[in-house]
Structure formats: C-alpha cells, structure tokens
Amino acid sequence: MNIAKMIDHSLLRPELTTDDVLRGCEVAARRATASVCVRPSDVPLAVTALRGTGVLIGTVAGFPHGSTTTAVKVAETRALVEAGADEIDMVLHIGRLRAGETDYVHDDIAAVVAAANGCVVKVILENAYLTDDEKVTGCRLAERAGAHFVKTSTGFAPGGATLADITLMRATVSPSIEVKAAGGVRTLDTLLALHAAGATRFGATTTEAILDDFAARERREGQPLGA
C-alpha cells in the first residue's frame, strides 16, 4: 500500500508565506506524495519547485465558499490550468444545493469541468452544512457533470471528513468516480479507516507524521502493511 500516493499535501492556509509554500513543496517532493494542493496564486511557484519530481500540482477554485459566479470559477480554472495546475478542487455552490437548485449546481460544475480541459476535477461538497439527502444529490450532480472525484470538505468548515460521509459518498457514486477525504485527516489511523470505507485520496497537512507512523508500523510488523 503506497500511502504517500494517496495524499494531497495541503498548503491552503491563508497565513502561509512563500517560504512556507516552498518548504511544503519540498516535503511533497521528498515524500513523493500524489500532489500538493496550493492556493491559486501559488501555482506558478509550485510548478517551478516541483518540476521533474512527479508530484502533481493541485489547486482550488471557488474556494472556500463556492459562491462565486460560474463565470468567475471558469475564468479561474482556465487561468490555473494555463499556469500549470494538474488538478482542480472546486467548491460547488453550497447554498444553491441546499435550496434544491439542482440545474444551477450541475451546470456550475459542468462548466468548470469543461474549463479544466481534461485535468482532474474534484468537487467539494462541504458536508458540514448538508443533510445526507443533500450530500447524495451533490454527489450525483457532480458525477453527472463529469467530475472525477467527490470530496468531503474544504478543511475550513466546522467539520471535516467522517467515516459515515465517506461510506455514504462511496455508495452514491459509480466505481468510475473516486472519493477524497479532507478536513481532520491528521493521523494514520484516521486515514486507514477512511480508506477502508472507500476514500482513495486524502487532503492532509500532517503528511510527514502520517508517513513516519506508517513506516514505523511496517518495521514493527516486518512486512508491508496492506500487502
């Protein structure tokens, strides 16, 4: 089991300096994570820092509330892809989903998918604000709109990924859609439990601690975990 390749090393906190972002990119490169997820303005910085490492460049659109207009999300997505982003984590319009305006939510996501021009799009539902029925509707709309992942949270809401939400989301979407857990994934035990429930990608800030714990357990067991 390659835990590192399940992690999007998150560098989204608003107070991070340029040096903080560069140090985060160095961690991602050294630990060979799946990606970094950086703020939009940091995409060119991450592209330069991670060139040749195999670490993907992820970023966000409509973040963190999802309430910017579709035109703004589209323009942002196009600019970020042109700047070198490989993956776009977009926030759907939470209020419109709660209002039952499913055509709006679908079309908003579909427009970002089109603007991403083949790059991976992960749709953040921000489950802390949704009922289970709304989570199911959001997942189905994201899949119908062509997204590649559904994602639990931004990490900036009152709650993050839960076992119940991952189980629900995995059961809602088809096998062609992956599930990303974000918000509160700070320990190896949490990551492994959410992985068992169906998550295949994880947003994390405590990447090194998680990977160090995994390596230590493998040494104690004397064989690869998950083999």
Side-chain angles (χ1 to χ4, degrees):
M1 182 186 297
N2 190 341
I3 294 290
K5 286 303 180 189
M6 299 179 189
I7 294 176
D8 295 341
H9 186 51
S10 180
L11 300 167
L12 294 171
R13 296 198 313 272
E15 75 275 16
L16 295 179
T17 66
T18 299
D19 285 344
D20 291 332
V21 174
L22 288 172
R23 281 192 290 270
C25 288
E26 189 277 329
V27 168
R30 177 162 41 83
R31 306 309 293 259
T33 61
S35 80
V36 292
C37 192
V38 297
R39 300 168 303 195
S41 58
D42 295 325
V43 168
L45 186 69
V47 167
T48 299
L50 292 167
R51 185 170 288 119
T53 66
V55 176
L56 299 173
I57 310 299
T59 190
V60 291
F63 194 86
H65 302 305
S67 53
T68 50
T69 65
T70 299
V72 167
K73 289 180 183 177
V74 164
E76 188 173 29
T77 298
R78 286 178 179 154
L80 293 170
V81 170
E82 289 174 4
D86 301 296
E87 300 186 338
I88 303 292
D89 290 26
M90 69 160 291
V91 188
L92 58 67
H93 199 302
I94 301 160
R96 297 295 178 96
L97 177 61
R98 295 186 66 230
E101 297 177 39
T102 54
D103 287 345
Y104 182 101
V105 175
H106 171 274
D107 293 349
D108 188 55
I109 298 168
V112 170
V113 171
N117 195 30
C119 291
V120 166
V121 174
K122 309 183 195 113
V123 175
I124 304 170
L125 276 68
E126 201 67 289
N127 287 341
Y129 300 125
L130 305 177
T131 67
D132 282 355
D133 284 347
E134 289 163 351
K135 294 167 195 174
V136 168
T137 298
C139 285
R140 289 176 176 166
L141 291 170
E143 178 166 9
R144 195 183 311 155
H148 305 87
F149 281 79
V150 288
K151 177 178 170 182
T152 59
S153 324
T154 62
F156 292 88
T162 67
L163 191 61
D165 279 348
I166 294 298
T167 301
L168 178 65
M169 294 166 78
R170 181 65 275 166
T172 299
V173 295
S174 73
S176 63
I177 304 297
E178 297 185 64
V179 179
K180 177 176 174 179
V185 184
R186 299 187 182 94
T187 68
L188 176 61
D189 286 333
T190 298
L191 185 151
L192 292 175
L194 296 174
H195 178 61
T200 53
R201 197 79 77 84
F202 302 88
T205 58
T206 58
T207 298
E208 293 209 278
I210 290 170
L211 295 178
D212 288 345
D213 190 6
F214 186 75
R217 294 190 197 190
E218 285 197 322
R219 287 194 297 271
R220 288 196 298 270
E221 295 293 328
Q223 62 182 5
L225 293 179

